[in-house]
């Protein structure tokens, strides 16, 4: 009985050893096959990203982002296999472009790359001494496209030295004013959000550009109240171009 048990144990050990050997051989074979496939797709000319092919690098969603900046991201990949392109690294480089809010890069068999871009949406102009930029709702500054036309008010109160968080806070104030004003905002050409507690706007009223101090809330109500009384105000103060609307019971002319 003991002898039979020993024989069975030897058979089991032999089968186990053989099984492990087969699995190891299969693993090595798979690894070698994978290496050969990798070598093939990275060296065979049919997978090369060619400069001569117009659709080798295709863009989707690109309207205002500078195509030259996007092309420079993929410059190292031309003349090489698309399977050698580090897609994650290319995506990170795309996200560093001002107009690109999100992006994805994928391979299209056998020799193309597809770039999908979600662009940022500007909400206002920002004026600096160095020039005029656009700004999106998160406070990111954008270079104005050469041939694009936008009809946004100017968001003032933003400095060149502001941090991204400070710019974001200014934009949040601007959007709050814009939302509260609603249709009344059509005549507003500038919103100064430098001080959230004392928002100032510039509006076209009766063919005149007037500076109006609105405070920190009730923007539409205060502005509408001013418009309702403006004919009388204009008669009494024809030369005044700045008014304080923060007090509930009066409108104060500012010199």
């Amino acid at each position: 009985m003991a002898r039979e048990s020993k024989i069975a144990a030897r058979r089991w050990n032999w089968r186990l050893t053989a099984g492990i050997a087969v699995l190891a051989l299969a693993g090595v074979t798979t690894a070698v096959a994978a290496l050969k496939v990798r070598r093939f797709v990275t060296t065979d000319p049919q997978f090369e990203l060619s400069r001569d092919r117009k659709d080798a690098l295709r863009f989707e969603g690109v309207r205002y982002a500078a195509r030259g900046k996007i092309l420079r991201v993929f410059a190292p990949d031309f003349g090489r296999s698309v399977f050698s392109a580090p897609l994650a690294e290319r995506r990170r480089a795309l996200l560093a472009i001002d107009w690109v809010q999100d992006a994805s890069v994928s391979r299209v068999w056998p020799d193309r790359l597809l770039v999908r871009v979600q662009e940022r949406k500007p909400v206002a102009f920002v004026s600096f001494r160095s020039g005029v930029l656009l700004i999106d709702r998160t406070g990111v500054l954008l270079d104005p496209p050469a041939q694009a036309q936008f009809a946004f008010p100017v968001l003032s109160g933003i400095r060149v030295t502001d941090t991204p968080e400070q710019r974001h806070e200014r934009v949040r104030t601007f959007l709050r004013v814009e939302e509260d004003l609603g249709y009344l905002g059509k005549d507003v050409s500038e919103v100064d959000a430098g001080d959230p507690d004392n928002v100032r706007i510039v509006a076209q009223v009766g063919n005149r550009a007037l500076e109006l101090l609105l405070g920190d809330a009730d923007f539409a109500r205060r502005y509408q109240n001013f418009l309702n009384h403006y004919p009388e105000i204009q008669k009494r103060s024809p030369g005044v171009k700045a008014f304080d609307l923060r007090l509930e019971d009066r409108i104060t002319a500012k010199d």
Side-chain angles (χ1 to χ4, degrees):
M1 188 73 176
R3 183 178 179 182
E4 291 178 356
S5 298
K6 290 181 179 180
I7 293 174
R10 289 196 194 100
R11 289 176 179 175
W12 169 253
N13 290 337
W14 180 85
R15 289 173 182 174
L16 179 61
T17 303
I20 293 173
V22 169
L23 290 175
L25 180 60
V28 170
T29 302
T30 301
V32 171
L35 183 61
K36 288 183 178 179
V37 171
R38 174 67 180 172
R39 184 181 299 131
F40 172 68
V41 298
T42 56
T43 59
D44 193 283
Q46 68 174 308
F47 303 113
E48 181 181 309
L49 187 69
S50 174
R51 292 185 181 275
D52 299 327
R53 183 170 177 172
K54 291 184 178 180
D55 64 343
L57 183 62
R58 188 156 61 93
F59 302 147
E60 289 185 1
V62 178
R63 184 178 181 186
Y64 299 121
R67 288 177 177 263
K69 291 182 179 180
I70 297 177
L71 283 171
R72 283 195 290 273
V73 170
F74 295 93
D77 301 315
F78 284 101
R80 302 174 59 198
S81 169
V82 295
F83 292 93
S84 297
L87 302 190
E89 181 180 333
R90 298 295 180 256
R91 179 177 180 270
R92 286 193 295 271
L94 288 171
L95 295 178
I97 298 174
D98 55 354
W99 275 90
V100 177
Q101 180 172 326
D102 198 4
S104 66
V105 185
S106 55
R107 300 181 181 94
V108 180
W109 183 271
D111 58 353
R112 290 179 293 160
L113 291 177
L114 173 60
V115 181
R116 291 187 175 94
V117 170
Q118 179 182 342
E119 293 188 330
R120 297 184 182 278
K121 296 180 180 180
V123 296
F125 288 106
V126 178
S127 181
F128 299 117
R129 287 186 178 181
S130 57
V132 177
L133 299 177
L134 292 160
I135 193 167
D136 81 340
R137 65 187 307 111
T138 65
V140 174
L141 297 172
L142 310 170
D143 287 325
Q147 298 180 350
Q149 294 184 348
F150 298 97
F152 297 125
V154 173
L155 171 57
S156 57
I158 291 183
R159 299 177 294 272
V160 177
T161 56
D162 282 347
T163 64
E165 291 75 18
Q166 288 173 323
R167 289 199 305 269
H168 193 186
E169 181 62 31
R170 308 279 191 270
V171 174
R172 277 201 294 262
T173 299
F174 165 81
L175 294 175
R176 187 163 59 88
V177 174
E178 191 174 56
E179 181 180 4
D180 193 57
L181 287 178
Y183 75 93
L184 294 174
K186 61 183 174 57
D187 295 322
V188 175
S189 59
E190 180 182 346
V191 176
D192 186 345
D195 181 358
D197 295 326
N198 289 292
V199 173
R200 179 186 64 86
I201 67 171
V202 175
Q204 296 293 321
V205 183
N207 296 321
R208 299 177 66 199
L210 302 180
E211 179 183 321
L212 307 174
L213 191 58
L214 298 180
D216 62 352
D218 297 326
F219 308 114
R221 183 176 63 80
R222 291 172 179 177
Y223 182 38
Q224 184 64 68
N225 181 60
F226 174 79
L227 295 177
N228 293 341
H229 293 87
Y230 182 67
E232 181 182 351
I233 293 171
Q234 188 177 26
K235 291 179 182 179
R236 293 184 177 183
S237 308
V240 179
K241 294 184 178 181
F243 298 89
D244 188 342
L245 314 185
R246 293 174 297 175
L247 299 178
E248 298 298 327
D249 60 344
R250 71 194 68 180
I251 295 171
T252 306
K254 299 178 64 178
D255 295 332

